[in-house]
Amino acid sequence: MAGRLGPRDTAVRTFAPCAVVPIYNHGTTIAATANALARHGLPVLIVDDGSDAPTRAVLDALVDGRSDLRLIRLPANGGKGAALSAGFLAAHEAGYSHVLQIDADGQHDTADVPRFLDEARAAPDAMICGRPIYDDSVPRARLYGRYLTHACVWAETLSFDIQDSMCGFRLYPLDATRAEIARKPLPTRMDFDTEIAVRLFWRGVPVRNLPTRVIYPENGLSHFRMWRDNARITAMHTRLLLGMLPRAPRLLLRKFNRGNP
C-alpha cells in the first residue's frame, strides 16, 4: 500500500467521494484515467490486481510524490470484483462516503464525472449507474449479449430501475455497499458489477441512471473470457433469480407503494 488518502478535512462530511480504479495490466491507459479523475478534484485509489512488472513500474511512477493518488497492491490476481471490494473497504476505512467506480482501460468518458457527482449530491442514498451510449467500436456480439443480462436483471429485481447492470462507470453510497459486502461476499470476477447492483437494489438502495459515452479502444486489452465468464454469469443469474423468489412480495410491495404515494 502506498500513500495516504482521506477526506480533505476532519469535519463530518455527508458527501465525501473518492474514485476507485481496479487495474490488471492496463499500464498504457491508467495514467490518463487517474489524472483525469484527479483534475475533477477526486482523490483516486488505484487497486493493482496482481499486474505484471511493467504495469507495476508504471503505477509506482504514477503515484510517486502524489497526495491525490493512493496505490493498493493485491498479492495476486483475484479478479475485478476482488479488487473493487478491497478498494471499497479501504475507501470506507479512510472516511469517504461515496465511491466512483471506473475502469482503467479508457472506455469511459471522464468528462461525465461531474454529472455523476452532481447526481449523487442530489440523491446521496442512491446508486448512480452509467447507461452506456456506444459508438461503432462496440463488438456486436457483446452488445447483443448484454440484453440477455438486462432481461435477467429486470426479472431479478421485478423492475426496470437498473437500465444497465454491466457498465463499469458507477457511483456507490459506501455505507450500504460496505454493509452488503459484510453480509455476504461478492463475486470476485466479471460478475461483480451485476450482482452488486441487484443486491443493493434488494437492500432498498434507490437507482438513478445516467447516459454516458462508452468506447472500445482500438487494440484495447480485454480480460473477458468467453466460456469462463459466461459460465460465471449464468451461475450468477441462477443464484439471483432464486434469491428474488423469497424477496418477491417485498419487491412488489415497494413497487406498489412507490406508484401510490
Side-chain angles (χ1 to χ4, degrees), residues 69-235:
L69 304 181
R70 173 182 169 188
L71 177 62
I72 290 179
R73 281 215 158 98
L74 303 185
N77 177 249
K80 178 183 181 181
L84 284 169
S85 289
F88 290 168
L89 294 177
H92 188 270
E93 184 179 353
Y96 291 102
S97 65
H98 292 75
V99 159
L100 179 82
Q101 168 194 333
I102 190 168
D103 292 344
D105 57 7
Q107 283 191 335
H108 303 300
D109 187 358
T110 55
D112 283 338
V113 167
R115 296 174 57 230
F116 278 81
L117 296 176
D118 287 345
E119 197 75 16
R121 285 190 190 93
D125 294 332
M127 173 174 57
I128 316 301
C129 294
R131 178 172 61 80
I133 300 173
Y134 294 107
D135 62 12
D136 291 338
S137 66
V138 60
R140 293 295 149 183
R142 297 281 293 273
L143 179 62
Y144 300 142
R146 296 176 80 92
Y147 284 96
L148 180 58
T149 281
H150 296 344
C152 289
V153 167
W154 296 335
E156 291 152 10
T157 60
L158 300 180
S159 82
F160 298 109
D161 285 21
I162 302 172
Q163 295 177 8
D164 189 296
S165 69
M166 302 178 74
C167 183
F169 196 2
R170 189 179 292 171
L171 198 148
Y172 298 89
L174 260 183
D175 281 345
T177 304
R178 183 208 55 79
E180 188 57 32
I181 293 172
R183 186 188 70 81
K184 182 180 178 183
L186 284 149
T188 59
R189 296 284 174 178
M190 294 289 189
D191 41 355
F192 174 92
D193 288 330
T194 294
E195 180 151 335
I196 192 172
V198 171
R199 283 170 49 180
L200 287 175
F201 181 88
W202 286 350
R203 196 177 186 86
V205 172
V207 179
R208 294 196 177 192
N209 300 280
L210 281 183
T212 184
R213 187 174 67 93
V214 177
I215 63 170
Y216 280 76
E218 188 175 356
N219 301 319
L221 175 63
S222 173
H223 298 304
F224 185 83
R225 299 295 177 261
M226 181 68 70
W227 299 108
R228 181 194 70 183
D229 289 318
N230 278 332
R232 284 196 175 99
I233 289 169
T234 300

Side-chain angles (χ1 to χ4, degrees), residues 19-24 30 44-51 59 70-74 79-80 82-88 90 104:
V20 169
V21 185
I23 178 172
Y24 178 56
I30 182 60
V44 183
L45 198 163
I46 303 168
V47 185
D48 179 12
D49 187 26
S51 294
L59 292 172
R70 173 182 169 188
L71 177 62
I72 290 179
R73 281 215 158 98
L74 303 185
K80 178 183 181 181
L84 284 169
S85 289
F88 290 168

Side-chain angles (χ1 to χ4, degrees), residues 5-77:
L5 210 64
R8 292 189 178 87
D9 56 59
T10 57
V12 175
R13 299 177 62 171
T14 58
F15 186 67
C18 71
V20 169
V21 185
I23 178 172
Y24 178 56
N25 294 341
H26 286 103
T28 61
T29 53
I30 182 60
T33 299
N35 287 328
L37 293 169
R39 282 194 294 272
H40 288 297
L42 275 178
V44 183
L45 198 163
I46 303 168
V47 185
D48 179 12
D49 187 26
S51 294
D52 57 21
T55 303
R56 292 199 302 272
V58 168
L59 292 172
D60 287 339
L62 177 63
V63 303
D64 186 36
R66 299 278 297 268
S67 62
D68 53 351
L69 304 181
R70 173 182 169 188
L71 177 62
I72 290 179
R73 281 215 158 98
L74 303 185
N77 177 249

